Each structure stands twice: as structure tokens, then as C-alpha cells.
Amino acid sequence: MTDFNIGEFVTVEREISLKPNTTNTYKHTGVIVKKYLKDYVERTVYWFADEYDYVVSIPEYGGDYIVMNDSCIIKPINLSIINKLYIISKFGDWWFKEYKSIYQELLIKALKN
């Protein structure tokens, strides 16, 4: 089990069944915007399960979210600051207001480079 942080860019994979007996696999690159500790019962009864659910904003949905556990997060990715800003530039205006701390941190890093 891996612990990921808010503001971290990751590659995620999820399987969606749109028709009976079929499964499509989708990969996305996004940024973790929220992290929720699962409730106590779920963490103790299912002690082998992931402790957190992650909310990941992805550009394909204009910054809207997909919620997943750490088993769906393939890996954190190391992108240049320009690529990170490019990814979030595809998000809607609402995203920058909601997650201004993530956005501002990226801008500060860009200015330092």
C-alpha cells in the first residue's frame, strides 16, 4: 500500500464495463486534489484494504474527478513544471478557485525555475 499526497501528479487506470461481459481499461494522467481516510469499520474489518480513497482531477473531464483507491493509481509521475501547468490548463475555471493552493504552488515553482 502506497500513500500519495495532494498535489501529486499520477497515472491512474480503471476498468469500466459499458456492456454486459465487456470491460474497457482507461488510463489517465491527473493530479490528486483530495484524500479521504476510509471509515474506521472499513479499515479494521478489511484490514488488508487501502486506507485512503483519492480524488484525482483529470483533463479529459475538464478537471472533474475520479475517485479511486491506491491500487488503481499506477504510479506517481515526475513531470516538468511546464507539463504540470499544461495539464491543469485544460481544467475549468472553477478548478482554479477550488484548488488555488495547488495552482499557486505550481506557479511559485515555475517562477523559481
Side-chain angles (χ1 to χ4, degrees):
M1 288 184 253
T2 305
D3 190 21
F4 299 98
N5 298 310
I6 293 172
E8 195 167 5
F9 283 75
V10 292
T11 300
V12 298
E13 182 177 88
R14 61 190 181 137
E15 294 181 347
I16 299 175
S17 179
L18 300 174
K19 298 179 195 174
N21 302 319
T22 64
T23 303
N24 295 327
T25 302
Y26 297 91
K27 287 187 179 181
H28 304 281
T29 297
V31 59
I32 296 174
V33 294
K34 291 182 185 175
K35 176 176 165 176
Y36 293 107
L37 185 63
K38 293 180 181 177
D39 67 37
Y40 177 76
V41 173
E42 189 173 352
R43 288 183 287 126
T44 53
V45 172
Y46 303 104
W47 55 269
F48 52 86
D50 305 328
E51 289 193 22
Y52 292 96
D53 280 329
Y54 297 92
V55 179
V56 181
S57 285
I58 59 171
E60 293 87 346
Y61 298 157
D64 211 352
Y65 319 115
I66 49 179
V67 178
M68 55 193 37
N69 58 36
D70 71 359
S71 65
C72 297
I73 298 174
I74 298 172
K75 62 181 177 181
I77 52 177
N78 188 12
L79 298 171
S80 70
I81 192 66
I82 298 300
N83 286 336
K84 290 177 181 180
L85 289 170
Y86 176 72
I87 288 171
I88 67 167
S89 74
K90 297 178 181 181
F91 297 168
D93 292 339
W94 63 271
W95 192 92
F96 298 94
K97 293 174 189 166
E98 184 75 22
Y99 301 107
K100 64 182 171 186
S101 62
I102 295 171
Y103 177 54
Q104 289 172 347
E105 184 178 324
L106 289 172
L107 288 177
I108 290 168
K109 286 180 183 177
L111 291 171
K112 287 182 178 180
N113 286 340

